[in-house]
């Protein structure tokens, strides 16, 4: 494995994923500074806890922001600091032109900054999304087991969306013997769903298809689980919404009807931060080394 010897990386804010990610980057022989981690319980060997003012900005090869990026005021969310560190726009002016800035998602502020610096939204990458689909599916399965009084085996599970997460959900629930249906509006995807040994359902037929559904899992970040769909579900069914904001479920109507609905975005960081951190480190290393080649 090619190492990151001689590379200086600054990690600004983050959650448990970033802790494991920093360990992995140190193992790959990079010099790692951490900003916004004052309340970490134990020191991480090889990581230097600092502030932005005390880091030689012109020597930085990569800056890693939290998954949530920077808000409009420049704050980087941190789970290990009393207050989130603030990154002034002027900080990016001091970076070398070859410095890479990584974020999970692009925020409006980062979109504006991307006009003059190279920002890589990791969650837009297929490799990250596919790797993350594994802990996401396991997290969905965890909720399904915790919040039902029946087995997943022989349960009727409907998955809305057949993207990177949807495909892994099919494998996960089918492996436990569930009767899996998948809803899509794309004819090619419906054919592939059939090839996956799941039941294809066109989005226009969603309401009628869920009359015997036990578990409904949404992956589409649009309002697709509307009152008409919720009204068709059995009262003892469970809805799990995995979609990023704004989500895809009318939670107001689900509550009104008495159907349990769980909003569960960002599951990799919640259920498997160690694995999620290793995924981020692996991809970040790949991007840095690819820039050099």
């Amino acid at each position: 494995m090619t190492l990151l010897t001689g590379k200086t990386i600054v990690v600004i804010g983050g959650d448990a994923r970033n802790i494991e990610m920093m360990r992995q980057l140190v193992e790959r022989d990079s010099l790692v500074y951490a900003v916004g981690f004052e309340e970490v319980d134990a020191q991480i060997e090889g990581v230097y806890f600092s502030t932005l003012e005390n880091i030689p900005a012109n020597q930085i090869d990569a800056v890693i922001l939290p998954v949530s990026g920077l808000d409009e005021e420049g704050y980087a969310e941190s789970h290990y600091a009393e207050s989130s560190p603030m990154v002034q726009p002027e900080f990016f002016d001091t970076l070398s032109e070859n410095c890479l800035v990584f974020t999970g998602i692009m925020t409006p502020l980062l979109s504006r900054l991307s006009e003059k610096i190279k920002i890589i939204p990791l969650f837009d990458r297929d490799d990250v999304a596919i790797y993350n689909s594994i802990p996401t599916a396991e997290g969905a399965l965890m909720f399904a087991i915790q919040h039902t009084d029946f087995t997943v085996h022989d349960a009727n599970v409907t998955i809305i969306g057949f993207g990177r997460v949807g495909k892994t959900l099919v494998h996960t629930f089918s492996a436990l013997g569930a009767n899996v249906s998948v809803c899509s509006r794309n004819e090619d995807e419906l054919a592939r769903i059939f090839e996956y040994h799941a039941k294809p359902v066109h989005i226009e037929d969603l309401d009628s298809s869920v009359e015997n559904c036990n578990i409904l899992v949404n992956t589409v970040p649009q309002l697709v689980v509307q009152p008409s769909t919720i009204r068709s579900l059995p009262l003892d069914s469970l809805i799990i919404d995995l979609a990023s904001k704004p989500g895809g479920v009318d939670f107001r109507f689900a509550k009104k009807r008495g159907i349990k609905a769980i909003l569960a975005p960002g599951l990799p960081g919640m259920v498997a931060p160690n694995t999620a951190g290793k995924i981020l480190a692996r991809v970040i290393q790949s991007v840095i080394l690819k820039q050099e080649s």
Side-chain angles (χ1 to χ4, degrees):
M1 178 178 68
T2 305
L3 299 178
L4 294 171
T5 305
K7 299 298 182 184
T8 299
I9 299 174
V10 177
V11 180
I12 306 175
D15 53 26
R17 285 171 285 195
N18 298 75
I19 300 295
E20 179 59 29
M21 178 190 69
M22 288 190 288
R23 290 195 182 100
Q24 294 293 318
L25 293 173
V26 168
E27 285 188 12
R28 289 162 166 79
D29 200 28
S30 63
L31 173 62
V32 177
Y33 290 98
V35 177
F37 290 87
E38 297 87 354
E39 296 182 359
V40 172
D41 292 336
Q43 293 293 310
I44 306 171
E45 187 174 353
V47 174
Y48 298 90
F49 295 89
S50 184
T51 62
L52 283 180
E53 294 74 22
N54 293 323
I55 297 172
N58 60 349
Q59 298 177 23
I60 298 173
D61 297 290
V63 174
I64 303 173
L65 300 173
V67 164
S68 56
L70 297 178
D71 67 16
E72 271 302 289
E73 296 180 344
Y75 285 102
E77 181 183 22
S78 179
H79 291 204
Y80 297 96
E82 186 174 341
S83 58
S84 297
M86 183 179 187
V87 186
Q88 298 283 357
E90 292 75 22
F91 167 74
F92 296 102
D93 294 333
T94 64
L95 301 175
S96 71
E97 62 178 19
N98 293 322
C99 181
L100 299 175
V101 178
F102 294 90
T103 181
I105 61 173
M106 291 292 281
T107 62
L109 175 60
L110 291 175
S111 294
R112 295 194 298 272
L113 289 171
S114 67
E115 296 176 2
K116 58 180 179 179
I117 58 175
K118 186 173 180 59
I119 300 179
I120 299 167
L122 291 167
F123 281 16
D124 285 354
R125 292 175 57 94
D126 282 341
D127 51 0
V128 173
I130 293 169
Y131 285 132
N132 274 335
S133 73
I134 299 169
T136 297
E138 290 188 9
L141 179 61
M142 175 190 73
F143 282 125
I145 293 171
Q146 288 178 340
H147 295 280
T148 59
D149 59 1
F150 49 82
T151 62
V152 172
H153 183 275
D154 205 36
N156 297 321
V157 178
T158 296
I159 299 164
I160 302 178
F162 195 58
R164 296 160 299 197
V165 172
K167 290 182 175 69
T168 304
L169 285 168
V170 174
H171 292 314
T172 301
F173 280 96
S174 295
L176 288 179
N179 308 309
V180 179
S181 300
V182 186
C183 180
S184 173
R185 65 176 71 253
N186 185 295
E187 294 295 338
D188 291 345
E189 289 185 352
L190 292 171
R192 182 61 70 185
I193 291 164
F194 177 79
E195 188 268 332
Y196 268 47
H197 295 283
K199 180 181 178 182
V201 176
H202 195 281
I203 189 71
E204 294 180 357
D205 300 321
L206 175 61
D207 292 358
S208 61
S209 73
V210 298
E211 293 177 352
N212 296 309
C213 176
N214 303 120
I215 302 169
L216 177 64
V217 186
N218 175 58
T219 68
V220 178
Q222 301 174 14
L223 186 58
V224 289
V225 185
Q226 302 192 43
S228 61
T229 303
I230 297 169
R231 191 168 180 272
S232 300
L233 286 165
L235 289 175
D236 61 350
S237 61
L238 172 69
I239 301 173
I240 304 172
D241 191 358
L242 304 178
S244 55
K245 292 181 180 180
V249 174
D250 188 329
F251 286 93
R252 177 200 62 81
F253 191 79
K255 182 178 181 180
K256 181 177 180 179
R257 192 157 187 273
I259 291 179
K260 188 170 188 61
I262 300 170
L263 178 62
L267 281 180
M270 181 190 308
V271 303
N274 184 283
T275 298
K278 289 177 179 176
I279 290 169
L280 292 175
R282 183 188 310 138
V283 174
I284 288 168
Q285 177 190 25
S286 174
V287 174
I288 291 174
L289 293 177
K290 186 175 181 180
Q291 180 182 244
E292 290 189 330
S293 61

